Amino acid sequence: MSGDRDYIGFATLPEQVHRKSVKRGFEFTLMVLGESGLGKSTLINSLFLGDLYKDRRILDAAERIEKTTTIEKKTMDIEERGVRLRLTIVDTPGFGDAVNCEDTWKACSAYIDEQFRQYFTDESGLNRKNIQDNRVHCCLYFIPPYGHGLRQIDLEVLKRLHRKVNVVPVIAKADTLTTYEVKKLKERILTDIEEHEIQIYQFPDCDSDEDEEFKQQDKELKACIPFAVVGSSTVLEVAGKKVRGRQYPWGVVEVENPKHSDFVKLRTMLISTHMQDLKDVTQDVHYENFRAQCISQISQQAIRERSKLKRDSGPHFENSISDTDRLLLQKDEEIRRMQDMLAQMQEKLKATGQVGPGIGLRGRVGSLGNDLDATDVEKKRNSIIDV
């Protein structure tokens, strides 16, 4: 009897979540970004064992002169061991092909923002049960193997996108480089990223209760960034076994050989170990930043409209506004009074010489002001809902 009382039953919650998630299926959107000819399509076909670009037409040099960046989206449904995945690949043909590449990043940035905006609209609607998540969860940025690090176009694009999407840098066609050249290029790329304060996707730290094998795998994945990859859909026979690789006069480059490229590590990170974390970072960081900006813009627009209405209405404004608007105006006036009081306190502290170097009373008062503003804004929002 005591054993029955000790068992409540909530230990089956993970199984319930697992069954529900498997039944619903999963969604993942991957953007591939880079110049034509770097092997983006081949790598995607190698990663997901498909042929997404069998109808692709290669443009000639004359067509590329005025070519602009376009968005090409392909969706495929994959099922593995009863788990369904709806995979969306967002390709960017024309990226970096034109003579003037000054605005080549705009189409990519606009597409990412548009997916955020659509998700925000759906989330704010009445029916939120079947929201389709088309947000870009990861961007594979392909870096050419020639050169000595990131080029100016690479820096410009990464600066525009690194706060909108999880960027994973990839060195394309790594079989054209020696092992020493790959090592030096990786070091130079990481140095450029650090100098220009570009935020690429950061692997989460392992929990202390993880097994040693997982910790070692995570350590190896972190050491491989940026991933130097080789892609191929050709099956060759090497030493009596069939492998996917590229045939050269001097030998065969095996795609899935860790000594030849980081393809297996990229696939492990992208699909097996960190796919859910990529989605979580997109939801908790990038989308929340976009959502906060949208709410701030809506609030500022409402304040401007009320101010304009007040100026246009003149003395009859008090009689024409609704109770909700009057309450909002009162809250705004309270916030302004509090800010004035805090400013006076700061001036008095400064005049008496009680403000020390670094973070002193002034910093704490300023922090208090920010907290009060945030609290009043929240109260104001709740008041609107109550009314």
Side-chain angles (χ1 to χ4, degrees):
M1 293 295 293
S2 62
D4 294 338
R5 285 196 300 268
D6 292 341
Y7 180 75
I8 300 175
F10 61 83
T12 62
L13 276 174
E15 299 176 4
Q16 298 175 34
V17 175
H18 174 75
R19 288 196 299 268
K20 186 175 181 180
S21 300
V22 170
K23 184 178 180 180
R24 184 172 58 246
F26 300 89
E27 297 173 331
F28 188 75
T29 301
L30 176 66
M31 174 180 282
V32 289
L33 195 58
E35 294 180 358
S36 300
L38 292 181
K40 303 189 300 296
S41 306
T42 303
L43 181 67
I44 294 301
N45 290 335
S46 302
L47 283 172
F48 300 101
L49 301 179
D51 189 6
L52 291 174
Y53 304 96
K54 56 185 177 182
D55 299 329
R56 163 106 15 122
R57 185 178 70 89
I58 306 300
L59 302 179
D60 55 26
E63 292 175 312
R64 292 186 184 182
I65 293 177
E66 298 296 335
K67 179 66 176 177
T68 58
T69 305
T70 57
I71 299 297
E72 184 178 302
K73 185 170 68 172
K74 293 184 178 294
T75 303
M76 60 187 300
D77 295 323
I78 308 174
E79 185 171 348
E80 183 180 55
R81 297 180 183 178
V83 179
R84 299 193 309 274
L85 174 66
R86 184 176 180 270
L87 175 67
T88 302
I89 304 297
V90 180
D91 200 356
T92 54
F95 177 85
D97 288 349
V99 175
N100 184 5
C101 299
E102 182 180 359
D103 298 332
T104 191
W105 54 270
K106 287 188 175 181
C108 309
S109 179
Y111 179 82
I112 295 173
D113 288 340
E114 179 59 31
Q115 303 313 308
F116 279 152
R117 190 174 294 106
Q118 183 62 46
Y119 192 87
F120 178 75
T121 303
D122 296 341
E123 192 180 44
S124 304
L126 296 177
N127 185 12
R128 302 188 300 172
K129 288 185 178 180
N130 300 316
I131 298 178
Q132 191 171 359
D133 186 7
N134 290 321
R135 297 171 296 181
V136 179
H137 301 113
C138 179
C139 174
L140 292 182
Y141 188 82
F142 284 72
I143 302 169
Y146 47 82
H148 302 283
L150 296 177
R151 303 163 300 167
Q152 188 62 37
I153 183 177
D154 299 328
L155 294 172
E156 190 67 24
V157 173
L158 291 176
K159 287 179 180 179
R160 303 286 185 174
L161 299 182
H162 69 129
R163 298 186 184 277
K164 299 174 180 286
V165 67
N166 298 311
V167 177
V168 177
V170 172
I171 300 175
K173 295 191 174 182
D175 52 336
T176 61
L177 301 172
T178 64
T179 304
Y180 177 79
E181 290 172 341
V182 169
K183 180 181 178 181
K184 287 298 181 182
L185 183 57
K186 285 186 175 185
E187 293 176 354
R188 182 58 185 168
I189 290 173
L190 291 177
T191 301
D192 292 341
I193 288 174
E194 183 177 358
E195 287 180 355
H196 293 85
E197 299 180 350
I198 296 172
Q199 299 176 5
I200 62 175
Y201 172 68
Q202 298 294 325
F203 288 84
D205 296 331
C206 289
D207 297 331
S208 58
D209 58 346
E210 296 287 354
D211 54 43
E212 293 299 326
E213 183 179 355
F214 184 82
K215 290 181 179 179
Q216 181 63 27
Q217 183 188 55
D218 185 73
K219 183 178 179 180
E220 293 177 357
L221 290 177
K222 292 179 179 178
C224 283
I225 294 180
F227 296 94
V229 297
V230 178
S232 176
S233 301
T234 304
V235 178
L236 304 174
E237 186 171 347
V238 179
K241 65 176 183 178
K242 293 184 178 181
V243 297
R244 284 186 299 152
R246 303 178 70 88
Q247 180 71 57
Y248 291 96
W250 43 264
V252 176
V253 174
E254 300 178 22
V255 171
E256 299 183 356
N257 190 336
K259 297 181 180 180
H260 294 178
S261 76
D262 298 330
F263 174 83
V264 174
K265 293 182 174 63
L266 175 63
R267 184 177 62 186
T268 300
M269 182 279 296
L270 196 62
I271 301 174
S272 302
T273 59
H274 290 79
M275 178 177 282
Q276 185 59 46
D277 186 69
L278 288 166
K279 298 179 65 175
D280 291 341
V281 174
T282 301
Q283 170 68 31
D284 300 336
V285 179
H286 300 300
Y287 174 68
E288 284 301 317
N289 291 338
F290 178 85
R291 181 173 175 272
Q293 293 175 3
C294 288
I295 294 176
S296 177
Q297 292 174 1
I298 293 173
S299 301
Q300 293 175 4
Q301 181 66 25
I303 292 173
R304 286 194 297 267
E305 290 179 356
R306 289 200 303 270
S307 300
K308 184 177 182 298
L309 180 61
K310 183 177 180 179
R311 290 194 305 269
D312 295 342
S313 300
H316 305 288
F317 177 70
E318 292 294 335
N319 299 326
S320 61
I321 61 176
S322 63
D323 294 339
T324 304
D325 291 335
R326 187 176 295 105
L327 184 60
L328 289 175
L329 290 173
Q330 293 175 359
K331 295 296 183 182
D332 290 339
E333 186 62 29
E334 291 178 8
I335 292 174
R336 283 194 291 271
R337 285 201 302 268
M338 289 182 180
Q339 290 175 344
D340 293 339
M341 291 172 58
L342 289 171
Q344 294 175 5
M345 292 172 61
Q346 291 176 1
E347 292 297 331
K348 290 180 180 179
L349 291 173
K350 184 177 181 181
T352 55
Q354 297 181 12
V355 181
I359 301 176
L361 294 176
R362 183 184 180 90
R364 290 196 290 271
V365 172
S367 176
L368 175 62
N370 294 334
D371 294 340
L372 287 173
D373 291 347
T375 304
D376 285 332
V377 171
E378 185 64 27
K379 289 179 179 179
K380 180 170 65 175
R381 186 182 296 110
N382 294 336
S383 301
I384 296 172
I385 295 175
D386 293 338
V387 174

